[in-house]
Structure formats: structure tokens, C-alpha cells
Amino acid sequence: MLMLRQVQISSFELFQSPKQLGCCSSRSVSLPKTRSYRNRSGLRAMTGSVDRSGNGLEKLYLGMDFGTSGARFTVIDDQGVIRAEGKREYPPFMREESMDWVSSWKATLFSLLEDIPITLRSLVSSISLDGTSATTLILNSESGEVLCQPFLYNQSCPDALPEVKSIAPANHTVCSGSSTLCKLVSWWNLKLPNRESAVLLHQADWLLWLLHGRLGVSDYNNALKVGYDPESESYPSWLISQPYSQLLPVVQAPGTSIGNLKDSIRRQFGFPDDCIVCTGTTDSIAAFLAARATEPGKAVTSLGSTLAIKLLSTKRVDDARYGVYSHRLDDKWLVGGASNTGGAILRQLFSDEQLERLSREINPTVASPLDYYPLKSSGERFPIADPNLAPRLLPRPNSDVEYLHGILESIARIEGKGYKLLKEMGATEAEEVLTAGGGAKNDKWIKIRERVLGLPVSKAVHTEASYGASLLALKGAKQK
């Protein structure tokens, strides 16, 4: 179901461009006069009093996020004000008793374009989007036909891992069964006819190709797990020397203009003649961009089913043993790691009502003496690399409040160890932590984490990846 809303923020900071280092800006803006209208679904969006021909002063920027279970769009203006947003679940298209992801993603893409209020479409200057990391498609390089079912983000190809480890440097990001390179090698080794004429695209690349029509273009965030080196801005020699390297896409910086929106799509939906399509990024990077953490030392902790941390650093850090790798963000590095602890174990032990009620009784200024390692099952990778690490959830006190307090504090300690490990590996020391995900709603937990981490901790203003994608669209338009 489509949902639209309008949000206002007082200022907007555009992150740096590699060609304009040191040119960050933050400014307050006067919001445009607005009027509301009701669309066919009975939902509301806001539009400004501007020239509707697309030649007026106002320009808008469209970002879309294609996540694991659905997709979302966000339209912003030059100041980062959200003008409209909505979401769609993926339709359950089936093919031979399995999910037809290609048809589902394509249908969702055009549904989102249709959902954007028609009065705003003519003002959209640029478009970008994100997709799940390491979700991989293999296409015919001439026709664009998808040659096999997509390899999903969490799909592992252990058959290819020994070969990948034999050519890649030790502990490289690609040395994981779920890496894009392992998926490519696994497909290549099937020795299908005409495999030399194929091209590899990531989910975001493929969806953007549907909009601009230039086959074989990617970005350096998505291309990281296929082996691209964003520091040298090239594929390494150990990868180029492989026979399947001819399938690799051309790589550009996220938020780079690829070309104009296809005429057929522009005419169908009413986008302006000069609307451009820009390279995208991964969903986790887009979510970080949405939080607007732009200075080294700023970090974002996502408290969802698992605990994931991302830290903006001046130094690159990579270590596959811990699942730690760095994405390039212009002239900086986004270093990240993910623990198996998080909200999933909380939901296993407590209902939402219990979590809310019990949290109200916790005194966050007092440290809990309980020491747990909350996991749903054995195995941890970050900040401890131990596939056999057992959950530790005992002893359980008689008081549910004390038990919840101990678990929340223990997860906060794991988070602290994660940031400490990144520092020990050479990353910039964390100075401030913004919070995204469901755990950001728990104020008591934020105060516990602030005490345990010894850092300012707050909830991020924007947490939707589609907002981050719209910032990339804005970046691309400004560099055009």
C-alpha cells in the first residue's frame, strides 16, 4: 500500500564530492509555500507554489530503496525537505515454484514511479537508487536478457570459495561465500553456452539500467564485493587476469550522472526532458547517508534484528575474519561490522508490550552487574570471530526488569567492543553515535549505551535508505 507524507527539516548538509573537497555546506532555508491535495488513494502529499512546467526555480530529486522485502521512494528538494514518500511490498510473482525476483523488482520500480504525485514528477531533476549488497544478476550483454535467477544478497556459493581464496589476497572482502565474486565464479564454472558474452550487474545497477538504458555501469560501493578497489579506482590485476573479468561492469562514483532518463519512461510518467539518472549505492550505505553523519568520527549504529555499526574514517580498514570492510565515501572511508546480537534475541525473550513496559522501570544511570552475550544461536563474527561462540543468557534474575536491563547493557558492551576493535584496526576513533533501526525508539537503551560507550548517542533524524538515495540524486544533479 502506498503511503505519502511530508516532513520539514531546518537545514541540509550535502556530503563532499571528491572533485570539491572541503566544500561541505550547511545552511538554513526558508521553506516554500505549500498546498495540500489528495491523490487517488486518499493520501496526502505537499506541493509548492511553483511553475509546473519544470522550468521554474524549484527542482526535486528522487531516491528509491530496494530492500529485502519491499521498496520505498523519497522525493526531496534542494534543502533536503521531503516532499513525498511511499513504499511498496514486492508482488509475489512466481516462476517454476520459486519467487520471480526479476519480474517483482521491475514491477515494483514502475509502481513506485506511478505512486509519485503527478504534480511532482515534472519537477524531478535526477534519480538514483540503492539495492541490497551482493545481490547479483548475470545478463546477456547485447539483449539485456537475464540469464539465470538472481543470486540474492544472503545466498552463499561455497563451491567457488576455494578458487576465490586462491587468487585474492588473504582476508580480502571477496573471501566470503556470499561475496559477489563467489557468485560470479560459481556461475562461470557452470560453463554455459555464450558465457563470454554476458555482463554482471548488481541489483541497483540493473534497476537503474531499466531507467537509463546503458548496460554495464555500476558504482564503487556495489562493486566492492566483486573485487573492485575503490582506492585505486580500478579492478586489481589478480582479478583482471581471470577469464571472467570481461563480465565486470564499468565502475563510477555513487551519485554520478549516467545519462538521461529513457524517453519512453519520461513520456509515460511525465518526467522533464532533462531528468538524469545517477549511479546508486548499497542499501546500508544509503541508510548511513540518510543519517547525515559527514565528519570523521561520526558513527551510526543500526539496532535491528542484528547490531551493525558503521564509522566514518580517514583510514581504510578491511579484515574478512571479522566481516569488517570499508566502503569509500568520496575522500573518506565507511568502516563497518555486524554482530549477531540485537533485536532478534530481544523479541525471542520479550513481547513488544513487555519491552516497552519494562524499559520504563530501568534506571539507565546504574550499571547492571549481569554479564550476558545475547545470541539466538551459536556463532559470532564481530567483534569476536568465533563460529562456535555459545549464547550466554543465564543466570536469569527473578526480576524481569533486571533481566532486560542486563541484556540491553550487555548488547551495549558488545557495541562498545566493536568500536574499540575498529579503532585498534586503525580506523578513526568514534566521537558520536547516531542510532537507526527499531532500537532507536528505546530512550532508556540510548542512555545506557551513552554511559557504556562514553560517547554522545542520539537517534538519527532520517533513517530511511531512500532518503540517502535521494541525496545521491541531488549530488549528481549538482555535479552535472
Side-chain angles (χ1 to χ4, degrees):
M1 178 179 292
L2 168 67
M3 296 197 309
L4 294 172
R5 67 187 181 91
Q6 187 259 2
V7 180
Q8 295 181 348
I9 58 175
S10 59
S11 64
F12 169 65
E13 188 176 41
L14 184 63
F15 53 91
Q16 289 179 330
S17 159
K19 296 181 180 179
Q20 297 174 319
L21 303 183
C23 294
C24 284
S25 64
S26 179
R27 59 195 181 96
S28 298
V29 298
S30 300
L31 297 174
K33 295 180 180 180
T34 61
R35 66 181 181 87
S36 64
Y37 70 93
R38 193 171 298 273
N39 67 7
R40 293 179 182 177
S41 300
L43 299 166
R44 297 173 72 87
M46 304 299 292
T47 63
S49 301
V50 296
D51 177 5
R52 299 296 168 199
S53 67
N55 298 318
L57 296 177
E58 185 175 49
K59 291 184 181 294
L60 302 179
Y61 311 92
L62 168 62
M64 291 177 279
D65 162 52
F66 282 74
T68 56
S69 60
R72 180 184 294 267
F73 79 84
T74 299
V75 178
I76 64 170
D77 63 16
D78 281 292
Q79 288 76 44
V81 177
I82 297 177
R83 301 299 301 277
E85 60 182 3
K87 64 180 181 180
R88 289 265 181 171
E89 293 182 355
Y90 295 134
F93 294 153
M94 304 301 293
R95 183 178 182 181
E96 297 179 358
E97 299 183 358
S98 62
M99 182 71 169
D100 183 356
W101 287 110
V102 169
S103 297
S104 183
W105 294 332
K106 183 176 181 179
T108 303
L109 172 65
F110 290 103
S111 292
L112 289 181
L113 297 180
E114 183 70 33
D115 290 342
I116 299 167
I118 192 168
T119 52
L120 299 184
R121 289 181 217 160
S122 63
L123 304 175
V124 172
S125 177
S126 59
I127 301 171
S128 186
L129 59 81
D130 68 77
T132 50
S133 178
T135 294
T136 308
L137 296 91
I138 309 291
L139 290 76
N140 182 295
S141 60
E142 296 181 0
S143 67
E145 176 190 1
V146 179
L147 299 178
C148 63
Q149 282 278 63
F151 293 90
L152 299 183
Y153 67 99
N154 58 353
Q155 186 172 341
S156 183
C157 297
D159 57 295
L161 189 55
E163 182 176 342
V164 169
K165 285 186 173 182
S166 72
I167 62 172
N171 301 322
H172 193 280
T173 303
V174 298
C175 296
S176 166
S178 60
S179 72
T180 310
L181 184 57
C182 278
K183 292 163 182 172
L184 171 58
V185 171
S186 180
W187 179 85
W188 180 262
N189 287 341
L190 294 175
K191 299 182 178 179
L192 299 174
N194 301 318
R195 60 179 181 169
E196 294 83 3
S197 62
V199 62
L200 179 146
L201 291 181
H202 307 89
Q203 181 191 28
D205 308 335
W206 179 75
L207 289 163
L208 288 166
W209 167 68
L210 295 176
L211 299 179
H212 60 67
R214 285 186 57 195
L215 194 58
V217 181
S218 187
D219 65 88
Y220 58 56
N221 292 153
N222 272 295
L224 183 73
K225 292 184 180 179
V226 79
Y228 184 82
D229 183 358
E231 193 164 12
S232 65
E233 297 185 339
S234 64
Y235 290 108
S237 58
W238 59 262
L239 181 55
I240 290 296
S241 62
Q242 303 306 313
Y244 43 77
S245 64
Q246 57 195 317
L247 277 67
L248 298 174
V250 173
V251 177
Q252 298 179 341
T256 300
S257 174
I258 303 171
N260 285 351
L261 183 64
K262 290 165 67 173
D263 287 343
S264 58
I265 298 175
R266 180 182 55 76
R267 289 192 298 266
Q268 179 181 353
F269 294 99
F271 289 101
D273 294 350
D274 58 352
C275 180
I276 62 172
V277 180
C278 305
T279 49
T281 187
T282 67
D283 54 350
S284 63
I285 301 298
F288 185 90
L289 294 176
R292 298 165 64 223
T294 59
E295 298 298 324
K298 298 293 180 70
V300 174
T301 293
S302 179
L303 294 172
S305 298
T306 59
L307 182 151
I309 68 176
K310 291 190 180 297
L311 169 67
L312 199 58
S313 171
T314 58
K315 182 177 179 181
R316 180 180 183 178
V317 174
D318 298 281
D319 194 326
R321 292 173 299 173
Y322 297 97
V324 172
Y325 54 89
S326 298
H327 278 285
R328 181 178 168 183
L329 279 187
D330 295 333
D331 63 328
K332 304 179 185 68
W333 296 96
L334 186 57
V335 185
S339 167
N340 290 332
T341 192
I345 186 63
L346 289 172
R347 288 183 174 274
Q348 181 175 295
L349 298 169
F350 303 98
S351 66
D352 288 347
E353 184 276 330
Q354 287 176 313
L355 286 171
E356 184 176 349
R357 174 171 50 82
L358 297 173
S359 293
R360 287 197 295 265
E361 301 182 43
I362 293 175
N363 183 351
T365 64
V366 177
S368 171
L370 299 171
D371 183 24
Y372 302 128
Y373 209 104
L375 298 170
K376 286 193 69 176
S377 58
S378 295
E380 178 66 306
R381 192 174 193 186
F382 177 85
I384 299 173
D386 184 354
N388 300 312
L389 183 68
R392 191 169 69 247
L393 294 164
L394 297 174
R396 178 165 183 162
N398 292 328
S399 168
D400 287 342
V401 174
E402 292 179 17
Y403 190 44
L404 176 60
H405 187 176
I407 292 175
L408 294 180
E409 185 131 346
S410 295
I411 295 175
R413 294 185 193 121
I414 295 169
E415 179 185 7
K417 290 177 181 176
Y419 284 116
K420 181 180 179 181
L421 177 61
L422 295 185
K423 179 186 175 184
E424 291 172 351
M425 288 179 169
T428 301
E429 184 175 5
E431 297 177 354
E432 179 184 358
V433 177
L434 300 173
T435 310
K441 301 174 184 177
N442 191 320
D443 293 334
K444 294 294 183 70
W445 199 4
I446 285 181
K447 292 178 180 178
I448 290 172
R449 293 169 52 229
E450 195 164 43
R451 171 173 51 78
V452 172
L453 298 178
L455 297 170
V457 179
S458 59
K459 181 180 178 182
V461 175
H462 294 287
T463 60
E464 294 294 345
S466 57
Y467 185 87
S470 69
L471 296 181
L472 283 181
L474 172 57
K475 175 187 177 183
K478 296 303 180 184
Q479 290 183 342
K480 183 181 177 184

